[in-house]
Amino acid sequence: MESGALKPSRLLVVKMSSIGDIAHALPVVSQIKRALPNLFIGWVVKRRCASLLEGNPDIDKLYVTSDKPGASELLGLRKQMRADRYDTAIDMQGLLLSGVVTWLSGAKRRVGLDRNREGNFFFLTEHTVPGKDPDRHAIDILSGFAHSLGVDYPEGSVPVQSYLATSDSAFAHEHINALHKPIIALNAGASTIYKQWPADHWAELGKAIVAGGASVVLLGGPRDVETVDQISGIIASHQCVNLAGKTNLRQLASVVACCDLMVSGDTGPIHIAVDVGTPCVGLYGPTNPRAYGPYGNRNVVIWKGLPCSPCHRNPTCNGRVDCMKRISATDVLKAIEKLIPGTLGDGPRDAQSVNAS
């Protein structure tokens, strides 16, 4: 426990979206609760992400808003929050809406980042949590909120979110129980085309995994179904289960928790995998893996580090996505073998990849 910081008795967490951002905030809030077990914690979240937080033993009250709350909804939220008498609110989002919600809470102490946007700082009493280093991991940045409350956060650690891992274990067992170990989840979905690994690369990887004696679970969202169906058809193995478009967030978390490893691009599910304790191989190109890779030294990131990368939301490749295409299935197989030696028989072991921390 750090000395000199003000310790709250009733804390409001404002981290409303997205899936990956919520997953990054979870271990920090868990650490705060462990250090201050009598602390009452409320959390404001948008409806599309709320299922990630439902049943969380560290959260005493969950406030769920629509994805674009209007004035009347915000006034109703204000009434609920003020009735719960928060003395401290931490705005982990740093945007206009989160700032307004933080201010409406009525908390006298309102803490935020020093790199906030959209006039967010007008709604805070403190905008002092360091967040300007582009190479600092998102979880390390959010750990600054723990420090502001007098709580140490052990760098590199992620308290396992057991409630997520076991929330729908029946679904997981029903769909993957017949697969023999090790089971490797391949999450082929991504939020943008620039974060997507090519489908033929996924198919090549999946075929090599099952040929080596391991099993594959294919994952993706509703818009990834057609692509993942094609990948599944190429792999064509009874040791490959296709769950793309068939899981909600809690089912996804339970499935990934039952897997021995996950391979994914930069998207929310890879951070859920970290939260449930499953090692990951992250495939990164347009985003900075030092800031957004799977957190902790039990994971591996493959990143080619091209001169144009990371480009974030400003790609210069005219849609070629060279940074992702240059990651080969062999690169990923080497990383898998590094994390789980012997998975692929006598497969390659000299992976040229970097640990994410």
Side-chain angles (χ1 to χ4, degrees), residues 134 192 194-195 266 285-289 291-292 308-315:
T192 72
Y194 297 103
K195 294 181 180 181
D266 177 21
T287 49
N288 184 349
Y292 303 108
C308 57
S309 182
C311 63
H312 297 286
R313 295 176 180 153
N314 301 294

Side-chain angles (χ1 to χ4, degrees), residues 155-178:
E155 188 170 326
S157 69
V158 179
V160 174
Q161 304 298 310
S162 300
Y163 79 98
L164 276 179
T166 60
S167 61
D168 205 337
S169 54
F171 177 91
H173 292 154
E174 176 187 352
H175 288 87
I176 69 175
N177 228 23

Side-chain angles (χ1 to χ4, degrees), residues 26-185:
L26 275 170
V28 177
V29 174
S30 288
Q31 184 65 16
I32 292 171
K33 188 71 167 186
R34 289 183 183 188
L36 303 171
N38 295 323
L39 177 65
F40 183 96
I41 297 181
W43 192 317
V44 184
V45 65
K46 290 183 178 179
R47 185 167 293 116
R48 61 188 170 89
C49 301
S51 64
L52 278 180
L53 301 178
E54 291 167 354
N56 186 326
D58 298 322
I59 301 173
D60 298 286
K61 182 116 179 225
L62 194 62
Y63 306 88
V64 180
T65 75
S66 62
D67 289 344
K68 294 182 179 180
S72 61
E73 183 178 355
L74 289 174
L75 288 175
L77 177 62
R78 173 185 181 271
K79 182 177 181 180
Q80 295 178 58
M81 294 188 298
R82 294 202 173 198
D84 289 321
R85 307 182 314 281
Y86 292 102
D87 54 77
T88 304
I90 54 176
D91 179 356
M92 291 179 152
Q93 204 89 51
L95 299 175
L96 174 61
L97 177 59
S98 62
V100 169
V101 169
T102 302
W103 174 64
L104 289 174
S105 72
K108 290 186 177 180
R109 187 181 184 213
R110 303 184 298 278
V111 183
L113 297 161
D114 65 358
R115 61 160 172 78
N116 41 38
R117 295 177 286 162
E118 303 176 354
N120 172 272
F121 67 93
F122 285 115
F123 302 98
L124 307 174
T125 60
E126 305 169 29
H127 42 92
T128 55
V129 174
K132 294 179 180 178
D133 183 349
D135 288 328
R136 195 170 181 219
H137 197 279
I139 290 180
D140 290 328
I141 288 174
L142 295 179
S143 72
F145 287 97
H147 299 155
S148 74
L149 305 176
V151 174
D152 289 315
Y153 188 89
E155 188 170 326
S157 69
V158 179
V160 174
Q161 304 298 310
S162 300
Y163 79 98
L164 276 179
T166 60
S167 61
D168 205 337
S169 54
F171 177 91
H173 292 154
E174 176 187 352
H175 288 87
I176 69 175
N177 228 23
L179 299 177
H180 50 64
K181 294 274 193 173
I183 302 172
I184 299 176

